[in-house]
Amino acid sequence: MQKINIILVGFGRVGQAFYELLKEKYDYCRERYGLFLELKGIIRKSGAVLLSGTRKMVSEAGAAGEEKAELSSWVQTFSLVDLLDEFKSGVLVDCTPSDLVTGEPGYSLIKTALSRGWHAVTASKGALVVHPSELEAEARRNQVALKASGATAAALPTLDLGLHSLAGAEIMAIEGILNGTTNYILTRMADGLSFSRALMEASEKGIAEPNPVQDIEGWDTAAKMVIIANKVLGTAIKLSEARVHGINGLTEEIMTRAARIGKTIKLIGRCSRETPGEPWKVEVGLALLNPDHPLAAVDGSNKGIIFYTDCMGYIVLSGGKSDPRGAAAALIKDIISIYWRDF
Ligand SMILES: NC(=O)c1ccc[n+]([C@@H]2O[C@H](COP(=O)([O-])OP(=O)(O)OC[C@H]3O[C@@H](n4cnc5c(N)ncnc54)[C@H](OP(=O)(O)O)[C@@H]3O)[C@@H](O)[C@H]2O)c1
């Protein structure tokens, strides 16, 4: 049995889903993996709160009132460094916004945690897109883990498959539907809805973020593909090198024409190279898929990825619909993977 200290940064949709799922999974993680996942503090932009640990929150019947009291006492008087130094070791969980230009606030938060010997798991893409090698080096220097399932299609285990299940196989190309919002919009447009109506529906259902520009313009897909490629292929591709086209400009007429010739339109992220030895390229754009293409049937807010390999054929993974609970589950999976010996 092992007690794990957890500090959560960011308490928006994903951070709150993580908080709830951690309580829900506390007993399961203890019984199945021998891990006590203890949330010790939460930091958000508007304040911080110190907690007595997950066990206390899920145990006694009276804990609900106490938990409410704990969660209502946000203060500005302590920082991430205070918490890291107080609890000595554990995992930082980063659920802050993804800034694909500066990498902040994730970069500073993760670097601070790694440099103090804490592991980090992140749902945020910014830091890993802007400063991947610095953070990997910091993690290696301090002999801690930096995990990013939550930032790479979350409930769809893209990195686990690419890094572990395909070990030994040479990956020739990677292709995927990595953004649930745009896939939902395309699915509903194929059902006959206009772009604006499909987007409105995605927002009403909580699938689209309040500002879905990065999704619609393809940058979210590109960022995920860059992180996956750099981790799985060991490349150093920059987001600025990617060729990116989104789903903006797509009309009902184009969708109808595609349907008439029996094709499906999908937003595909791709990482490939002309020949071995050539540089890898990341591209994002709309593709006309035949009905028998493995990604053609990935619908709604689901996602999918294909790894083309030299000796295992092509491996397809699909599902993992986009939502904060799926992202929270990916964060918990990453924490388990750090500590559970049999992973
Ligand atoms: N939504 C999804 O389904 C999903 C799925 C996978 C990955 N992601 C990624 O997960 C991350 C979080 O997404 P979200 O939807 O939960 O975002 P959100 O609802 O906007 O929440 C962001 C949180 O980060 C906090 N924050 C902002 N700047 C901070 C700083 N400098 N220091 C500490 N905390 C700070 C905010 O604090 P305040 O509360 O004080 O404003 C807020 O609690 C993003 O990077 C997103 O791309 C989201």
Side-chain angles (χ1 to χ4, degrees):
M1 291 286 180
Q2 195 176 359
K3 199 180 125 211
I4 319 293
N5 295 318
I6 296 173
I7 295 172
L8 170 63
V9 189
F11 201 57
R13 289 172 307 160
V14 175
Q16 288 178 34
F18 174 81
Y19 173 84
E20 292 301 333
L21 194 61
L22 198 61
K23 287 189 291 173
E24 190 183 317
K25 293 285 178 187
Y26 182 79
D27 286 335
Y28 183 72
C29 289
R30 176 176 50 77
E31 286 158 18
R32 178 74 184 84
Y33 308 109
L35 301 175
F36 292 89
L37 303 183
E38 301 293 351
L39 184 61
K40 293 297 195 179
I42 308 174
I43 296 188
R44 65 201 299 185
K45 201 172 181 181
S46 47
V49 71
L50 201 57
L51 299 169
S52 46
T54 323
R55 188 187 62 77
K56 190 122 188 287
M57 295 178 211
V58 295
S59 57
E60 309 104 44
E66 281 175 41
E67 177 194 340
K68 227 174 164 185
E70 278 190 329
L71 261 192
S72 63
S73 48
W74 296 91
V75 295
Q76 295 280 8
T77 46
F78 58 87
S79 66
L80 175 63
V81 171
D82 295 331
L83 284 182
L84 296 172
D85 290 350
E86 168 76 17
F87 295 105
K88 307 280 187 283
S89 66
V91 190
L92 174 90
V93 177
D94 170 24
C95 296
T96 61
S98 292
D99 185 326
L100 302 181
V101 178
T102 67
E104 295 292 359
Y107 174 65
S108 300
L109 296 165
I110 294 171
K111 189 157 184 209
T112 302
L114 297 175
S115 68
R116 282 175 159 70
W118 281 65
H119 302 290
V121 303
T122 184
S124 152
K125 292 165 280 290
L128 291 169
V129 161
V130 182
H131 301 288
S133 40
E134 291 93 320
L135 290 177
E136 297 288 356
E138 191 66 42
R140 267 197 308 277
R141 202 164 25 248
N142 293 284
Q143 298 182 324
V144 288
L146 169 58
K147 301 259 178 181
S149 295
T152 46
L156 186 79
T158 55
L159 290 180
D160 296 334
L161 175 58
L163 282 170
H164 303 291
S165 309
L166 303 182
E170 204 175 318
I171 293 164
M172 320 305 282
I174 311 172
E175 200 172 62
I177 294 173
L178 299 175
N179 182 272
T181 299
T182 45
N183 201 48
Y184 183 86
I185 292 171
L186 294 176
T187 304
R188 296 298 285 138
M189 285 182 81
D191 293 338
L193 264 63
S194 66
F195 176 87
S196 53
R197 185 75 198 86
L199 173 58
M200 199 187 303
E201 197 178 272
S203 304
E204 282 163 8
K205 286 180 178 284
I207 296 165
E209 299 201 16
N211 180 1
V213 172
Q214 280 184 359
D215 299 335
I216 303 291
E217 292 185 348
W219 289 103
D220 179 82
T221 298
K224 287 171 182 160
M225 186 53 86
V226 164
I227 300 172
I228 293 169
N230 287 343
K231 282 204 172 260
V232 172
L233 303 171
T235 51
I237 303 168
K238 293 188 169 64
L239 186 60
S240 56
E241 295 163 355
R243 282 211 344 235
V244 183
H245 297 281
I247 66 167
N248 32 340
L250 190 64
T251 61
E252 290 137 275
E253 197 202 334
I254 298 171
M255 294 300 285
T256 311
R257 285 221 305 265
R260 219 177 282 142
I261 55 169
K263 308 260 188 185
T264 308
I265 295 184
K266 294 290 184 192
L267 184 70
I268 300 290
R270 191 173 281 117
C271 183
S272 58
R273 57 183 174 180
E274 298 277 312
T275 50
E278 291 284 305
W280 291 91
K281 285 186 194 141
V282 167
E283 293 165 295
V284 176
L286 288 169
L288 269 177
L289 304 185
N290 287 323
D292 59 354
H293 188 285
L295 297 177
V298 176
D299 63 358
S301 65
N302 284 311
K303 292 156 287 182
I305 194 160
I306 310 176
F307 288 93
Y308 296 91
T309 76
D310 64 339
C311 55
M312 292 187 185
Y314 68 87
I315 309 291
V316 187
L317 190 67
S318 69
K321 72 183 170 64
S322 287
D323 67 5
R325 186 174 161 88
L331 292 163
I332 291 177
K333 182 267 303 281
D334 274 354
I335 298 173
I336 293 167
S337 79
I338 294 170
Y339 292 97
W340 190 42
R341 269 201 326 251
D342 294 344
F343 197 82

